[in-house]
Amino acid sequence: MATVTDKAMTRPDPGTAAPVATRARARLQGTGSIIVLRVLVILVALVLWQVMSGPVVPEYAVSKPTDVYDALTDMLGSATGWTDIKVTTIEVLAGFGLGVAAGTMMGLVLGSFPLLGRVLEPLVAAVNGIPKIALAPLFLLFFGIGSWSKITIAMTGVAFVVFYNVYLGLRLRERELVEVVQVMGGRRHHVLGYVTLPTLAAPFFAALKTGGPLAILGVIGGEFIASSEGVGHELFTAAQNLDAAAEFAGLIVLVALTLALNGVLTALDAYALKRLGLAARRRPQPRS
């Protein structure tokens, strides 16, 4: 009798388990429906592109999906194509990494010293107002047409985005929380761990996701101006030759590079917020 009672006590409540299973099933169905709809939208766009290319829109201007597929296959099947992809990827990652490091350092220094921040902030804003692509000729004069000129252009664009997010994050840090930690005997590392890092986490990773496309834009712009290899160089060559299929093939490679970089940053964002105990704040609270 006691055994039956114990089993009855440990048995899950059907009224509680059913809604949980229903919500999980609904989420899976919703995600699956969204994926199916996205695939359908892409397929419809490709079909319309294939049908309208020629009769409606000049084929030399937009090519056709079948021709783009052939150009992409040729690009990925040649050693030159993979060399161009590797060069552009290295330049993007190097420029992005250096830009994040430089922007974070600038933001932390100017944000930690208010007087220095008030003195230099207008100068930083003035330099940031210069279009980064306009600085490309100067970087080409300093570093030549090699990879370092493209890395510097990408670094410049990323650094200012990261700087402003870190700098403003430090300025908006709640002074009351800092004082509470200090009153409780906390030292600098306690303030850093309990106040500064949680405050900067969201704007910092937002800056990273914004800076990724900027790094790609800077590298491709530099390769357009002067380069001997890279995806941007191939795009420029295809444009000169009026080869729309090769142009779209290069754009597909850039889209894939952007999605891969964004995926890595999203995973890093989720991991960092989980480690900091901030992931739960992003989850929507269930309605009663």
Side-chain angles (χ1 to χ4, degrees), residues 106-107 109-130 160 163-172:
M106 290 169 54
V109 171
L110 270 65
S112 301
F113 300 95
L115 178 60
L116 184 62
R118 288 195 297 270
V119 171
L120 296 182
E121 184 179 1
L123 301 177
V124 175
V127 176
N128 185 39
I130 302 174
F160 283 105
F163 160 74
Y164 275 110
N165 279 266
V166 174
Y167 176 66
L168 294 178
L170 280 176
R171 290 186 59 182
L172 295 177

Side-chain angles (χ1 to χ4, degrees), residues 215-241:
I216 296 175
L217 177 63
V219 168
I220 298 302
E223 290 177 347
F224 258 72
I225 294 175
S227 64
S228 57
E229 54 187 358
V231 177
H233 173 72
E234 293 302 319
L235 288 173
F236 183 74
T237 303
Q240 286 185 320
N241 297 332

Side-chain angles (χ1 to χ4, degrees), residues 26-81:
R27 283 196 297 268
L28 289 176
Q29 292 176 350
T31 303
S33 300
I34 290 174
I35 293 175
V36 170
L37 289 175
R38 288 174 178 171
V39 173
L40 287 177
V41 169
I42 294 174
L43 290 177
V44 169
L46 291 176
V47 170
L48 291 176
W49 182 5
Q50 181 74 23
V51 172
M52 296 174 65
S53 178
V56 180
V57 184
E59 185 176 345
Y60 68 84
V62 297
S63 187
K64 289 184 177 181
T66 52
D67 296 334
V68 174
Y69 175 79
D70 293 337
L72 182 62
T73 303
D74 293 340
M75 182 179 184
L76 298 180
S78 65
T80 304

